[in-house]
Amino acid sequence: MEKKEAPRATPGKREPGGIAGKQARTGDCGEAAEDFISRLPDAVLCTIISLLPTKDGGRTQALSRRWRRLWRSAPLNLEVLTRPPDDPIPTHSVTPSAVSDIISRHHGPARRFYFHCLRDDEVYAQAETWFLSRALANLQELDASYGNLPLLPSALRAAPTLLVAKISHCDLPGEIVPDFPLLKQLTLLYVSISADGFHTLLSSCHALESLCMSQVRAAGCLRVSSPTLRSIGFRDNHSEETELVIEDAPRLVRLLLPYCYQDDCVTIRVIWAPKLEIMGPFAAFVSKRKSPVSSANSMHTVKVLALRSSGDKLHAVLNILRWFPCLEKLYVTFHKRYEMGAKDEPQYDPRHPIECLQTHLKNVVFKLYWGNGKQVDFARFFVLNAEVLNKIEFEVHGDYSSESVAFQHRLLHVKNRASRDAQFEFRSMRVRNKYLGDEHIHDLSVADPFRQP
């Protein structure tokens, strides 16, 4: 067979090479091999840049001339952090020395400004000029921590455009509070404010939907009146007695207490919250002297309740359930720290039945369930007395074999359950670093903030 020679290149004629050559040889059109990101509109690319950490957003300038122009006009996401000399700055943050240069070179608006400052008078003074700059005039998100220094009045210059604000470790003078017409999320951590200043602050937030308070130091009680609030998260002051009064909150749905462990220092009074459906978790502590939560009337609107209790606090839990006649779902997290102080707790009187056990309670979840001693007695009460129960879930340590489940069924007297439709599920608990419900103080998209996926 005759062997064919490969065609020779024509002198003076270049063969297609590189990307263009590949397109010519394969028949691909040039449009198919383009950089798809570069084909996006400028507005979309600017949004992407504004969501990147400060340093990463600045690095996009090296991609091309177009990206250099985009970074300068994209909404700025600026994160500034001061640390001790031997503590490195995280890669996503910049040092205070770089801020002035970034602000001067960036001609666009700022979307987010994160400023956490240790007690440094020089940086504190510099921050005044940053907040007064044109770049930070129309912020949407502010996260400012001052190392227990007074809040700079200029920090609230962007109040008319703020959507999210987090103020921590500072003194909040009530007389400098401006209007916040668009603010939807407000977080106050380790701040000092007067009771009147707190009332003025809430009155200035005309669109506020969620409020998170942790270690707020205020003289007198904190009174909440807001026509727009839907979610409140509250943490106690540990050693200081604190009173939170929900005076007028017509749209409030959630009252979350994920950090309140010193319940004897916290009193929560609900005066008017006609749509309140979700509460807790607070400790099952009820004495003849006081209780952590009180209301002028029974809370008929509450459908989901979370409590913390030890296995020997059944009577306290049952007395709390009297306040919630329409309760549909109950979470109980067992913890040994609540085993003390039960001497003056009122005892449950079976001659006065609990309404929710007879007509509404359909789901019970026991967390940190070890399946022994008082915990079994505690759970057995609900097995034998919840008349419309659909399901009890036990979050246990490790995996339960079929033999372990059968043994628990015998201890709980499942055959004698009050609701013949009740099901029982034992599942391994998930190790979590977050407290029950705290991540959903501002996230209103989740129907049940205590439910773990």
Side-chain angles (χ1 to χ4, degrees):
M1 179 179 294
E2 185 178 353
K3 186 176 181 181
K4 293 184 179 180
E5 294 184 4
R8 297 180 180 179
T10 305
K13 183 179 180 181
R14 297 183 61 184
E15 293 294 321
I19 294 176
K22 291 179 181 178
Q23 292 171 356
R25 289 192 294 270
T26 60
D28 291 341
C29 62
E31 190 175 30
E34 282 184 4
D35 177 2
F36 288 102
I37 293 180
S38 296
R39 293 170 57 188
L40 294 173
D42 285 0
V44 175
L45 294 177
C46 285
T47 300
I48 294 173
I49 294 173
S50 72
L51 296 175
L52 295 174
T54 308
K55 291 182 178 179
D56 293 338
R59 290 187 182 110
T60 61
Q61 298 178 88
L63 296 176
S64 69
R65 290 182 180 178
R66 181 192 179 199
W67 283 89
R68 190 178 306 128
R69 171 178 56 82
L70 289 173
W71 177 82
R72 291 176 178 173
S73 61
L76 185 63
N77 179 9
L78 185 56
E79 186 163 321
V80 187
L81 192 63
T82 62
R83 288 287 182 87
D86 297 332
D87 196 355
I89 296 289
T91 57
H92 55 271
S93 302
V94 298
T95 59
S97 59
V99 177
S100 297
D101 183 52
I102 292 174
I103 289 177
S104 63
R105 290 171 50 213
H106 189 276
H107 302 150
R111 181 186 67 84
R112 173 178 176 265
F113 185 52
Y114 173 103
F115 173 61
H116 280 215
C117 172
L118 296 177
R119 199 174 181 91
D120 187 323
D121 293 337
E122 182 179 348
V123 175
Y124 184 72
Q126 281 183 310
E128 181 79 12
T129 62
W130 300 339
F131 282 118
L132 293 175
S133 67
R134 183 183 64 179
L136 301 186
N138 297 304
L139 282 174
Q140 295 181 7
E141 298 181 30
L142 173 65
D143 187 338
S145 177
Y146 280 89
N148 297 319
L149 293 168
L151 178 71
L152 290 168
S154 58
L156 302 180
R157 175 171 169 252
T161 58
L162 281 177
L163 302 177
V164 178
K166 181 178 179 181
I167 309 296
S168 57
H169 295 91
C170 68
D171 297 332
L172 264 175
E175 63 272 11
I176 65 168
V177 176
D179 269 352
F180 296 88
L182 304 178
L183 189 67
K184 292 186 178 296
Q185 298 179 11
L186 174 62
T187 301
L188 302 175
L189 304 180
Y190 294 91
V191 301
S192 297
I193 188 171
S194 66
D196 290 340
F198 178 76
H199 175 74
T200 302
L201 175 61
L202 283 191
S203 300
S204 303
C205 301
H206 307 296
L208 192 64
E209 294 186 347
S210 58
L211 170 65
C212 177
M213 296 176 287
S214 175
Q215 301 289 342
V216 175
R217 299 179 296 277
C221 67
L222 298 171
R223 298 182 178 274
V224 175
S225 293
S226 170
T228 58
L229 260 180
R230 298 172 58 197
S231 177
I232 295 176
F234 183 72
R235 178 178 179 174
D236 66 308
N237 291 341
H238 290 304
S239 59
E240 301 178 11
E241 288 199 6
T242 305
E243 184 176 21
L244 176 66
V245 181
I246 312 299
E247 284 190 336
D248 186 7
R251 296 189 63 194
L252 185 66
V253 177
R254 299 177 180 179
L255 179 55
L256 305 180
L257 314 168
Y259 303 96
C260 286
Y261 285 109
Q262 297 290 333
D263 295 272
D264 56 337
C265 293
V266 177
T267 301
I268 297 174
R269 288 196 291 132
V270 180
I271 297 175
W272 180 247
K275 294 186 177 181
L276 184 60
E277 294 184 356
I278 301 170
M279 285 189 66
F282 56 87
F285 170 79
V286 181
S287 71
K288 297 173 183 176
R289 180 176 56 87
K290 66 178 292 187
S291 59
V293 179
S294 64
S295 175
N297 302 296
S298 297
M299 299 185 186
H300 287 79
T301 59
V302 175
K303 294 180 172 61
V304 181
L305 176 68
L307 301 173
R308 299 187 304 274
S309 175
S310 63
D312 61 358
K313 289 291 186 73
L314 175 62
H315 290 284
V317 170
L318 296 179
N319 280 292
I320 288 175
L321 293 186
R322 293 189 185 281
W323 309 339
F324 307 99
C326 298
L327 189 68
E328 296 179 2
K329 190 166 188 177
L330 173 66
Y331 290 87
V332 177
T333 301
F334 290 116
H335 203 294
K336 287 186 176 182
R337 71 181 295 160
Y338 303 109
E339 289 180 355
M340 300 178 293
K343 295 180 179 179
D344 59 348
E345 285 182 355
Q347 298 296 296
Y348 166 68
D349 187 349
R351 295 175 299 175
H352 302 286
I354 298 172
E355 186 175 344
C356 69
L357 292 178
Q358 295 180 313
T359 58
H360 289 89
L361 189 63
K362 297 179 180 179
N363 293 278
V364 179
V365 180
F366 293 114
K367 295 175 176 288
L368 300 180
Y369 181 77
W370 289 90
N372 51 35
K374 293 291 186 179
Q375 289 187 1
V376 173
D377 297 337
F378 192 113
R380 187 191 300 124
F381 180 90
F382 288 88
V383 174
L384 300 179
N385 292 277
E387 300 179 13
V388 296
L389 199 64
N390 289 335
K391 190 176 185 180
I392 297 183
E393 301 174 42
F394 300 85
E395 293 191 0
V396 300
H397 295 269
D399 295 322
Y400 262 39
S401 64
S402 56
E403 291 80 6
S404 298
V405 171
F407 178 67
Q408 283 293 316
H409 280 202
R410 291 193 296 272
L411 292 178
L412 295 168
H413 297 178
V414 166
K415 290 185 178 180
N416 299 325
R417 59 190 182 275
S419 172
R420 306 315 299 174
D421 296 330
Q423 302 295 314
F424 304 89
E425 178 184 345
F426 293 81
R427 66 169 185 265
S428 297
M429 66 181 65
R430 296 174 182 265
V431 178
R432 289 164 51 90
N433 294 322
K434 292 187 176 181
Y435 293 90
L436 191 65
D438 67 337
E439 66 267 43
H440 299 307
I441 294 172
H442 293 306
D443 182 4
L444 303 176
S445 64
V446 179
D448 183 353
F450 308 126
R451 179 71 181 174
Q452 294 186 17

